[in-house]
Amino acid sequence: MGIALTRAAQWTKGRLEATSLNEALLKDIVHFVEQFNSRYPEEAGVVFTEPLKWATALQASDFTAEYEFSGSSVHSRETDEDGSPLLQLTPPDISVCSFGQLSKLLQLANDSKLEEAQACLEANREPVLMMMGPSLAAAEGKDPSALPLLDTVMEGDQSTKAELKVKLFHILQELDKQLLNSSITPLSKEVRLSPAAVKHDVELLKSVCGAGEKKPLKSVCYTSDYEFNNGCHSPPWRQVHGEIAYLIIEPCDTEPLFITCSTDGVYLNSGVEQEGEENAYDRQSEVYKDLVTLLKSKSSHFADIISKQDFVIQGEPPTTLKIPHVEAVDLEERGQTLRSYEHQEKNVHEKARQQLSLNKSGGMKKLEPSLKWKNLGLTSPHEEAGEKKARKSTGSEKNTEGRSKSPKSESKKKADFSGSPLLACLSSQKMKSPAGATGNEVFSESSSDSEEDEEQGERRGESHTDLPSEYWQIQKLVKYLKGGNQTATVIALCSMRDFNLGQETCQLAIRDVGGLEVLINLLDTDEVKCKIGSLKILKEISRNSQIRRAIADFGGLQTMVAILDSPDKELKCLAAETIANVAKFRRARRTVHQYGGIKRLESYRIAIQTEGMIEDLVKNLNCDNQELQMHCASAIFKCAEDKQTRDLVRQYEGLQPLVALLNEADNKQLLAAVTGAIWKCSISMENVAKFEGYKALEMLVGLLTDQPEEVLVNVVGALGECAQRPVNRTTIRKSGGIPPLVSLLTGTNQALLVNVTRAVGACATEPENMTIIDRLDGVRLLWSLLKNPNPDVQASAAWAICPCIENAKDAGELVRSFVGGLELIVNLLKSPNKEVLASVCAAIAKIAKDEENLAVITDHGVVPMLANLTNTADDKLRRYLAEAIAQCCMWGRNRVAFGEAGAVGSLVHYLRSKEPSVHQATAQALFQLSKEPNNCITMHESGVVKLLLRMMGSTDEVLQEAAAGCVANIRRLALANEKAKYG
């Protein structure tokens, strides 16, 4: 992190510049720190040599109950050996002494986490020195495996703590590599300005300058007309910073613009009128790719005029330099220290210059991008280059074997398929997409939706220096695979399996020489031995994220899905295991679903049930082999979404062994599988009753802290299901489960947020629990999740808000205290997701019980929005929509407004639903609407009386009264009309 911040980050006067590269670095650092507690729980407790200190925007109110408060000051309960808190806040100053506290702090910061990270880094320019101390920091940039530092660090310290400190240092070095490599990637793709490009653009702009409203600009001039041999107008001491020229451009509608043109792009400066004061060169705006783009953003007159013109200039010079590919570098290359960012850039330009010279001397065609200003806007050479690049990236490419290579998936999400490989792709029979509909992009709800492994795979730097001999030996074997007969192919496959295929070098060796295409093509042959040998290799190497994507690109999943129909059991099992490895990102899962893979695998689930395998799985939960226990628990996890499986697990007495395995907290893979199985088994209340007797809830509450996210998702999911029973809501509170549940509302994992909101909402139905949730600011955290882009999170948060409002002491005042909160929830009525709509309607029905809040949401347009939703056939939405309409009728002219918006006739149709809960809510809404005479007329014309008369005989007293009241209002209106007519 230290070298990356020094060499790659862009600084100006001690501050990080507002550039896309810096933003990307900050996001990577924030993501790393946020995940630190779950990924490195032991190293998270290492105390820094010196605390990191900075001025923070956080206040005491932003911290949760796990911290100690003293007025406006806050400190952590976690302390060092001397008893000093690891986090101390005395606004605006904060000091932090461990990654564990840094991780929690960023989670508390929510939307301002990037600003906090930037403030911290700007105030602590040498963070590794402060964290690790001089002895370790001095070794930064060296090979971690070669550090002879452990004995030095251990002097005067306990060996365990010293080892952890060295491990932490190694983790930071790996982060540094990732940051450096990720910063190089955008540079290698960047189209950079050249002096020729700037000169050409300036001449073009000068040609359209002049007086009059039809001219886009008044004038364009250099601050210095002197041109150096390299084409630059900037002085030599500024050219070393990549600056080409300084311009003064006078638009027709703004003050003159002082502009710097550099190899990175163009931007406004502080007012360079001639060579002089250094601070005049300071950047004062964001960086634009060319002059046209900058001018269009700063002058509306320029943009308008240009959009109406058609300027075409002939004879364009070469205008851009495309930086060639830059290999990712390690922290040390052959004994040399890492070259500076500027030195790398200089070498890159030198190579580009040499290449251009070769093109000229060799008589090759010179590339001359055209500069055309079109009538619908301006397209500079740099924009055209970008467009060509975009067209190339979106088109499909053919590989050497003739297969179509798909573009990369846009999704960046990942599913957890740990556990039994054969069952890893199993999905529930009722699969729902985030939008609530079934289709090609549906997945098992037991899968999380992050594809972080793909992103990390792309960022990993690859270096082919000092490759082991295995790399070249594997490449020779791949050549035999390509050209050999059946016998040679089988021998080559067997020989290849003798290598350590779990090693990344071996995996990439197969990929680099085209071995993946060959292995996948072998799956299409009729030779079973070749298929089995190929799948055994693919199964091992597909644990690599880059290999997974390549297999999906080459069409391997389609072939493996077809193999699932094979009569050969070994072949089918290998195909299922490989599919489980590959299907860890969304595009791959979608492919499996599209080609019928889920249907063929949901058959494995039936076989597991009908062949008596559940009993065997339960028996093996009691064995001494933890790996076998993990696979059995994972199989139950994947299958227990089906009620029959849950019942079988209970009948074969598998619930108690699952609870007993919760004690194996050190084995995180086993713990994840076990908690997942408990979660899915808890969907049946009969199983929950058993878990209560085994004290499972108390153990689950103990797992709410310091666990990986995959474990937390399952633990919270289980607590959410168990909390549907009142006795368990009390147990969770008495076991101290409410505070950690509320603290998890600040996380970012979407699957975890869905489960934790459900659990908090269930707990909130108990007034005593609600008191704790309110004190911990849980309702505000739930409300903030309504802004989450994931509709599943939005819906789950809205459902949880309902019991919170119902059981809060002063719910009306509580809701009004959230600035913009009511407008936010009303605007969610525009969502296309039916689950979101239903949950928001339910929340609005609770909110509208407070007259003042009802007035506010009426002002925000709740009536027409609700009315627009009435034409729906979804019974769940109908029920809560009718409840919301009934409550909203209590204010002003809302009854009239609902009638005018056409909601009444649609509501009458709800009475024909087969769902009793819809009848009750609809009758209550119609009763309130019937207090307006015009609505009564609409109801009568829609045939409501006949429907309500039947419901007046219902055993549901609420439905009886509402139906009778509505009919009475209609009858009174009819009698009044008759009396007025006949006297």
Side-chain angles (χ1 to χ4, degrees):
M1 184 160 65
I3 290 179
L5 290 173
T6 303
R7 306 295 176 95
Q10 298 163 332
W11 298 84
T12 298
K13 296 183 178 179
R15 295 185 60 83
L16 286 166
E17 297 180 7
T19 63
S20 57
L21 176 60
N22 280 351
E23 184 179 3
L25 287 172
L26 280 174
K27 286 182 178 178
D28 287 345
I29 292 171
V30 166
H31 178 76
F32 168 80
V33 176
E34 277 189 306
Q35 305 296 320
F36 201 94
N37 271 335
S38 57
R39 293 181 62 187
Y40 311 107
E42 293 182 336
E43 291 83 355
V46 173
V47 179
F48 299 158
T49 302
E50 294 183 37
L52 300 179
K53 299 179 180 179
W54 70 95
T56 179
L58 295 177
Q59 300 293 326
S61 59
D62 295 312
F63 288 78
T64 60
E66 65 178 288
Y67 292 88
E68 297 289 341
F69 297 84
S70 177
S72 61
S73 299
V74 179
H75 64 83
S76 63
R77 294 175 181 171
E78 191 178 4
T79 62
D80 59 16
E81 292 181 340
D82 299 328
S84 300
L86 296 185
L87 180 146
Q88 289 184 296
L89 168 68
T90 305
D93 298 321
I94 192 169
S95 67
V96 182
C97 289
S98 73
F99 266 106
Q101 289 298 327
L102 276 177
S103 180
K104 293 178 181 178
L105 181 73
L106 287 183
Q107 292 172 3
L108 291 171
N110 290 329
D111 295 338
S112 63
K113 60 185 66 174
L114 283 180
E115 290 80 0
E116 287 297 320
Q118 180 172 346
C120 176
L121 294 174
E122 289 175 348
N124 303 275
R125 289 293 298 272
E126 296 183 336
V128 176
L129 173 63
M130 302 180 72
M131 294 173 184
M132 299 288 97
S135 57
L136 282 174
E140 190 175 16
K142 295 183 180 178
D143 183 1
S145 63
L147 284 176
L149 296 171
L150 186 57
D151 294 336
T152 304
V153 178
M154 286 174 61
E155 294 179 4
D157 199 354
Q158 298 178 6
S159 61
T160 303
K161 293 182 180 179
E163 289 174 4
L164 285 177
K165 196 164 188 178
V166 173
K167 286 181 181 179
L168 175 58
F169 178 71
H170 290 175
I171 291 169
L172 293 179
Q173 282 205 310
E174 288 300 315
L175 172 65
D176 226 12
K177 290 182 185 179
Q178 293 179 21
L179 294 177
L180 285 169
N181 289 334
S182 63
S183 68
I184 288 172
T185 300
L187 285 173
S188 66
K189 299 177 181 178
E190 190 175 355
V191 178
R192 301 172 72 84
L193 289 179
S194 67
V198 172
K199 181 177 181 179
H200 193 261
D201 285 2
V202 169
E203 294 302 320
L204 180 60
L205 291 173
K206 283 183 176 180
S207 69
V208 297
C209 289
E213 294 182 354
K214 294 185 178 180
K215 292 292 184 178
L217 298 169
K218 290 183 179 179
S219 65
V220 176
C221 65
Y222 292 102
T223 58
S224 171
D225 290 328
Y226 183 82
E227 183 176 325
F228 291 85
N229 292 334
N230 58 7
C232 291
H233 286 254
S234 59
W237 62 87
R238 299 304 304 179
Q239 291 181 29
V240 297
H241 297 286
E243 294 171 5
I244 298 170
Y246 310 104
L247 304 174
I248 302 176
I249 298 182
E250 188 176 7
C252 296
D253 56 342
T254 67
E255 295 294 323
L257 302 175
F258 297 89
I259 298 173
T260 297
C261 300
S262 74
T263 55
D264 292 325
V266 299
Y267 52 86
L268 300 181
N269 59 51
S270 296
V272 178
E273 298 188 47
Q274 56 185 1
E275 298 170 18
E277 194 170 343
E278 282 294 312
N279 60 12
Y281 297 100
D282 289 348
R283 182 162 61 83
Q284 298 296 316
S285 74
E286 65 181 288
V287 180
Y288 297 83
K289 58 185 176 182
D290 54 31
L291 285 168
V292 169
T293 307
L294 184 149
L295 291 170
K296 287 171 70 174
S297 70
K298 299 299 180 184
S299 170
S300 57
H301 175 79
F302 178 89
D304 291 341
I305 293 296
I306 292 303
S307 66
K308 300 172 185 176
Q309 304 287 340
D310 185 9
F311 296 87
V312 181
I313 303 299
Q314 302 297 331
E316 307 85 73
T319 55
T320 60
L321 283 177
K322 175 71 170 66
I323 289 188
H325 174 69
V326 183
E327 289 290 342
V329 294
D330 205 332
L331 290 178
E332 188 170 341
E333 290 186 3
R334 300 186 180 182
Q336 295 180 358
T337 57
L338 181 67
R339 292 172 296 176
S340 71
Y341 185 95
E342 294 80 4
H343 189 66
Q344 294 177 36
E345 187 175 87
K346 179 179 177 182
N347 286 349
V348 165
H349 281 296
E350 181 63 21
K351 290 180 181 178
R353 186 188 63 75
Q354 292 171 1
Q355 184 63 42
L356 286 176
S357 299
L358 286 174
N359 289 348
K360 293 177 181 178
S361 61
M364 297 175 65
K365 182 178 180 181
K366 188 165 80 171
L367 299 178
E368 295 187 352
S370 63
L371 179 58
K372 296 183 178 180
W373 292 14
K374 301 178 182 178
N375 57 354
L376 294 179
L378 293 125
T379 304
S380 72
H382 326 296
E383 289 175 313
E384 287 196 353
E387 289 171 3
K388 290 178 181 177
K389 183 178 177 183
R391 287 195 295 271
K392 181 177 179 181
S393 65
T394 54
S396 61
E397 299 174 4
K398 295 285 184 178
N399 60 38
T400 55
E401 297 296 329
R403 292 183 181 272
S404 177
K405 198 170 185 179
S406 310
K408 288 185 180 179
S409 169
E410 293 179 1
S411 171
K412 288 291 176 188
K413 298 186 176 179
K414 165 185 172 187
D416 175 21
F417 285 94
S418 60
S420 175
L422 180 62
L423 300 162
C425 280
L426 292 179
S427 296
S428 64
Q429 295 175 354
K430 293 183 180 179
M431 297 179 293
K432 294 186 176 180
S433 70
T438 59
N440 291 339
E441 298 185 15
V442 293
F443 320 104
S444 167
E445 64 182 68
S446 60
S447 302
S448 68
D449 283 339
S450 138
E451 281 183 7
E452 187 178 325
D453 65 326
E454 284 210 31
E455 187 174 351
Q456 290 175 346
E458 289 175 0
R459 291 178 181 171
R460 182 185 293 114
E462 297 176 29
S463 175
H464 291 274
T465 59
D466 301 328
L467 288 171
S469 60
E470 291 88 347
Y471 183 90
W472 310 111
Q473 292 170 10
I474 286 177
Q475 292 206 343
K476 289 180 182 178
L477 288 174
V478 171
K479 293 179 181 178
Y480 285 112
L481 285 180
K482 288 182 175 180
N485 56 27
Q486 178 186 345
T487 303
T489 299
V490 173
I491 292 173
L493 289 171
C494 294
S495 300
M496 198 176 292
R497 290 195 61 217
D498 291 337
F499 290 91
N500 181 9
L501 297 178
Q503 186 177 6
E504 186 179 42
T505 302
C506 297
Q507 296 165 351
L508 298 181
I510 295 173
R511 182 200 67 177
D512 292 348
V513 79
L516 277 179
E517 298 96 316
V518 179
L519 291 171
I520 291 170
N521 285 336
L522 287 175
L523 300 180
D524 286 325
T525 65
D526 295 328
E527 300 298 329
V528 175
K529 290 183 179 179
C530 291
K531 288 183 177 181
I532 289 176
S534 177
L535 281 172
K536 285 183 176 179
I537 294 171
L538 288 170
K539 182 189 74 171
E540 295 301 323
I541 65 177
S542 59
R543 302 180 192 279
N544 183 298
S545 63
Q546 300 178 60
I547 302 293
R548 285 198 287 268
R549 291 193 301 279
I551 291 173
D553 289 339
F554 296 149
L557 282 170
Q558 294 90 314
T559 307
M560 286 186 276
V561 167
I563 291 175
L564 294 175
D565 291 329
S566 169
D568 189 290
K569 290 186 177 180
E570 182 180 9
L571 197 56
K572 286 197 295 187
C573 289
L574 285 170
E577 289 179 287
T578 310
I579 290 172
N581 287 344
V582 177
K584 290 191 174 182
F585 61 102
R586 187 173 183 177
R587 176 165 56 90
R589 294 197 296 275
R590 184 166 61 243
T591 301
V592 174
H593 177 77
Q594 287 174 337
Y595 286 85
I598 299 299
K599 184 177 180 181
R600 290 173 171 89
L601 292 168
E602 284 177 339
S603 62
Y604 282 110
R605 178 182 287 170
I606 294 170
I608 288 171
Q609 295 171 351
T610 57
E611 298 298 325
M613 291 177 64
I614 297 296
E615 184 175 10
D616 294 332
L617 292 173
V618 168
K619 286 181 180 178
N620 286 320
L621 289 175
N622 295 302
C623 72
D624 294 330
N625 187 321
Q626 287 195 345
E627 184 176 3
L628 179 57
Q629 289 173 323
M630 182 268 290
H631 285 305
C632 291
S634 181
I636 294 172
F637 177 21
K638 303 299 180 183
C639 292
E641 290 179 354
D642 178 79
K643 186 179 186 303
Q644 185 179 354
T645 300
R646 298 196 295 269
D647 293 340
L648 288 172
V649 173
R650 183 178 69 256
Q651 291 169 15
Y652 291 124
E653 299 182 350
L655 300 179
Q656 189 169 12
L658 286 173
V659 175
L661 287 173
L662 290 176
N663 292 311
E664 305 295 336
D666 293 335
N667 188 332
K668 300 305 181 184
Q669 283 188 311
L670 174 59
L671 190 61
V674 169
T675 51
I678 291 175
W679 171 21
K680 296 304 177 182
C681 287
S682 298
I683 297 173
S684 294
M685 288 299 106
E686 300 91 337
N687 291 346
V688 172
K690 291 283 188 180
F691 284 138
E692 293 167 9
Y694 302 143
K695 305 296 183 183
L697 268 78
E698 292 86 342
M699 298 178 72
L700 289 171
V701 168
L703 295 173
L704 283 175
T705 55
D706 299 326
Q707 296 296 336
E709 285 188 343
E710 60 180 342
V711 173
L712 289 173
V713 169
N714 299 337
V715 169
V716 175
L719 289 174
E721 296 297 340
C722 293
Q724 303 306 308
R725 286 168 57 96
V727 64
N728 292 333
R729 297 195 281 267
T730 303
T731 301
I732 292 173
R733 182 185 74 250
K734 290 183 176 178
S735 302
I738 304 295
L741 280 174
V742 172
S743 68
L744 290 175
L745 291 172
T746 61
T748 57
N749 183 297
Q750 306 293 299
L752 178 57
L753 288 174
V754 170
N755 285 355
V756 75
T757 47
R758 174 175 167 80
V760 171
C763 290
T765 56
E766 297 289 333
E768 293 183 29
N769 291 352
M770 185 56 217
T771 301
I772 301 174
I773 293 170
D774 191 11
R775 187 176 70 244
L776 296 173
D777 211 13
V779 183
R780 182 183 63 82
L781 295 175
L782 285 171
W783 214 285
S784 67
L785 290 176
L786 295 176
K787 295 185 288 187
N788 192 289
N790 188 321
D792 290 343
V793 176
Q794 292 175 351
S796 188
W799 287 123
I801 285 170
C802 295
C804 290
I805 295 175
E806 195 165 14
N807 293 289
K809 289 184 178 179
D810 190 356
E813 183 60 33
L814 176 65
V815 170
R816 285 191 294 277
S817 68
F818 305 139
V819 178
L822 290 173
E823 183 179 7
L824 169 64
I825 202 164
V826 169
N827 284 335
L828 282 176
L829 291 173
K830 300 174 185 176
S831 171
N833 187 292
K834 290 183 179 178
E835 187 69 17
V836 172
L837 294 174
S839 61
V840 169
C841 285
I844 286 175
K846 305 296 183 186
I847 292 168
K849 291 182 179 180
D850 180 88
E851 189 177 64
E852 190 172 339
N853 288 338
L854 175 54
V856 174
I857 62 175
T858 299
D859 290 340
H860 287 307
V862 72
V863 171
M865 289 186 183
L866 292 174
N868 287 338
L869 298 175
T870 54
N871 189 23
T872 178
D874 185 272
D875 277 338
K876 188 173 186 179
L877 176 55
R878 281 176 165 183
R879 172 189 172 181
Y880 294 105
L881 176 58
E883 287 183 3
I885 290 174
Q887 287 297 327
C888 288
C889 282
M890 308 294 188
W891 176 258
R893 296 183 69 258
N894 285 358
R895 293 187 181 92
V896 177
F898 278 122
E900 292 173 348
V904 177
S906 299
L907 283 171
V908 172
H909 292 297
Y910 291 9
L911 296 176
R912 295 184 172 88
S913 169
K914 296 180 180 179
E915 180 59 45
S917 60
V918 175
H919 297 163
Q920 184 191 96
T922 303
Q924 289 178 305
L926 290 173
F927 169 61
Q928 292 297 331
L929 290 167
S930 67
K931 296 178 181 180
E932 166 59 31
N934 288 332
N935 292 342
C936 289
I937 296 171
T938 304
M939 291 179 200
H940 190 274
E941 292 173 347
S942 302
V944 75
V945 174
K946 185 177 180 179
L947 297 170
L948 289 175
L949 286 174
R950 286 202 302 265
M951 294 177 183
M952 287 169 61
S954 170
T955 55
D956 183 341
E957 292 185 1
V958 175
L959 176 57
Q960 276 183 11
E961 291 181 5
C966 185
V967 171
N969 287 339
I970 295 172
R971 180 58 181 160
R972 288 191 191 95
L973 178 62
L975 289 173
N977 285 338
E978 289 180 4
K979 185 175 181 181
K981 185 175 181 180
Y982 300 108

